[in-house]
Amino acid sequence: MSGALLITGVGQRIGQHLAEHLQAQGYQVIGTYRTDRPSLTGLSEQGVQLIKCDFNQPVQVAELIAEVQRQAPALRGIIHNASDWLPDSSAESAVATLHAMMQVHVAVPYQLNLALQDQLMASEMADIIHLTDYVAEKGSRKHIAYAASKAALANMTLSFAQLLAPKVKVNSIAPALILFNDGDSEEYKQKVRAKSLMNKEAGADEILQAVDYLLQSRYVTGRSLAVDGGRHLK
Ligand SMILES: NC(=O)C1=CN([C@@H]2O[C@H](COP(=O)(O)OP(=O)(O)OC[C@H]3O[C@@H](n4cnc5c(N)ncnc54)[C@H](OP(=O)(O)O)[C@@H]3O)[C@@H](O)[C@H]2O)C=CC1
Ligand SMILES: Nc1nc2c(c(=O)[nH]1)N=C([C@H](O)[C@@H](O)CO)CN2
């Protein structure tokens, strides 16, 4: 396993797990982060190239693109992991919520994919992986803007797969209940676990295994890999 991989949102949880393990596999991970966290020290010591970027700041996104183009003239892949899970807010800030969801889940992935396509094409083989969500196909009563933005991201998988084939494969991974958040109550955890046939919190390794499968494939593109414990059958 080799080549430069851009992973967004590596400061914690799934993104951190992906960065640590893909760097250990021999890829040169370029990881974006927004918030300074103790985890970043370990990633840096492991050799991950860290770039601070708030996707709500256009100048910082432009600087990120220029820095990736400098560091990786040939880019093995982009994993769009960065995300905010905002609940729908009160009416007065509803548009702000929708804009925030579309910015992090749609606008920046769209901008990065277009701006870095020459670098992806310069790699012997390349992958784009969009981290979407089971709710992209199902909807969500309490995260309407979030789910709509993930559905848009899933649709971009179809478009970019057609645009960049055959040199660059483009796929989605659609998770459900991979990691709970600090502060989730036992009552909430029990309720959410019960939404899937497997009735469990999957763990970040399930996403790493899905990423490994897609990076090693020479054929799968334009598809969404569901990692959701059979939630669609409950
Ligand atoms: N956890 C789960 O059970 C599920 C996760 N998913 C998807 O999997 C992916 C990983 O999930 P998870 O690890 O829980 O994600 P997190 O909620 O931990 O978010 C990942 C990172 O995204 C970064 N981020 C958020 N907003 C911005 C922004 N405006 N600019 C730059 N970075 C930003 C944050 O960076 P920082 O910390 O540096 O501020 C954060 O650490 C996400 O796309 C998520 O939607 C889908 C279904 C289930
Ligand atoms: N960016 C994030 N997206 C999502 C998260 C999260 O923590 N951050 N969590 C979920 C949950 O798994 C939800 O599906 C059940 O609690 C969904 N997306």
Side-chain angles (χ1 to χ4, degrees), residues 12-14 34-35 37 55 81 83 146 150 178-179:
Q12 63 180 7
R13 298 161 58 81
I14 293 171
R34 177 184 52 175
T35 307
R37 297 175 186 279
F55 288 2
N81 168 80
S83 168
Y146 166 86
K150 288 289 191 175
I178 304 302
L179 291 176

Side-chain angles (χ1 to χ4, degrees), residues 4-233:
L5 275 180
L6 173 63
I7 305 175
T8 65
V10 300
Q12 63 180 7
R13 298 161 58 81
I14 293 171
Q16 179 184 350
H17 190 75
L18 293 177
E20 287 169 349
H21 286 268
L22 291 167
Q23 180 75 18
Q25 285 181 29
Y27 293 101
Q28 175 50 62
V29 173
I30 303 171
T32 80
Y33 70 99
R34 177 184 52 175
T35 307
D36 291 307
R37 297 175 186 279
S39 60
L40 299 175
T41 304
L43 287 171
S44 185
E45 288 171 351
Q46 203 185 337
V48 172
Q49 300 297 311
L50 293 169
I51 303 175
K52 187 166 188 171
C53 181
D54 182 339
F55 288 2
N56 293 314
Q57 302 299 327
V59 171
Q60 293 184 30
V61 175
E63 290 169 349
L64 167 66
I65 289 166
E67 183 56 23
V68 174
Q69 289 171 334
R70 268 193 297 275
Q71 287 193 28
L75 188 59
R76 173 65 184 79
I78 307 175
I79 300 176
H80 295 283
N81 168 80
S83 168
D84 223 342
W85 190 38
L86 292 183
D88 299 306
S89 49
S90 53
E92 58 265 19
S93 55
V95 173
T97 300
L98 185 63
H99 283 172
M101 292 292 84
M102 288 298 177
Q103 180 66 16
V104 66
H105 298 143
V106 187
V108 171
Y110 172 73
Q111 186 178 0
L112 292 178
N113 289 348
L114 290 176
L116 297 171
Q117 61 184 304
D118 291 347
Q119 287 70 31
L120 291 162
M121 289 291 191
S123 178
E124 186 185 336
M125 60 174 293
D127 286 83
I128 294 173
I129 298 174
H130 295 143
L131 269 293
T132 59
D133 188 310
Y134 165 79
V135 298
E137 68 178 67
K138 183 77 181 303
S140 168
R141 283 191 295 271
K142 295 181 179 175
H143 297 82
I144 299 169
Y146 166 86
S149 67
K150 288 289 191 175
L153 181 59
N155 184 266
M156 287 207 299
T157 295
L158 306 177
S159 299
F160 278 105
Q162 295 172 67
L163 177 69
L164 300 176
K167 201 69 178 298
V168 182
K169 306 194 324 296
V170 186
N171 293 286
S172 300
I173 294 172
L177 187 50
I178 304 302
L179 291 176
F180 283 118
N181 277 285
D182 296 343
D184 285 344
S185 69
E186 272 314 308
E187 180 189 6
Y188 173 80
K189 289 179 179 179
Q190 193 172 5
K191 184 184 77 169
V192 177
R193 278 193 293 261
K195 289 182 177 180
S196 75
L197 294 178
M198 297 306 286
N199 192 20
K200 65 183 288 188
E201 176 191 26
D205 223 38
E206 288 287 337
I207 302 300
L208 175 64
Q209 290 166 24
V211 168
D212 282 340
Y213 164 73
L214 290 174
L215 291 178
Q216 289 167 45
S217 169
R218 296 294 187 278
Y219 193 52
V220 175
T221 195
R223 285 298 184 188
S224 177
L225 216 50
V227 183
D228 61 15
R231 178 151 175 195
H232 62 302
L233 297 177

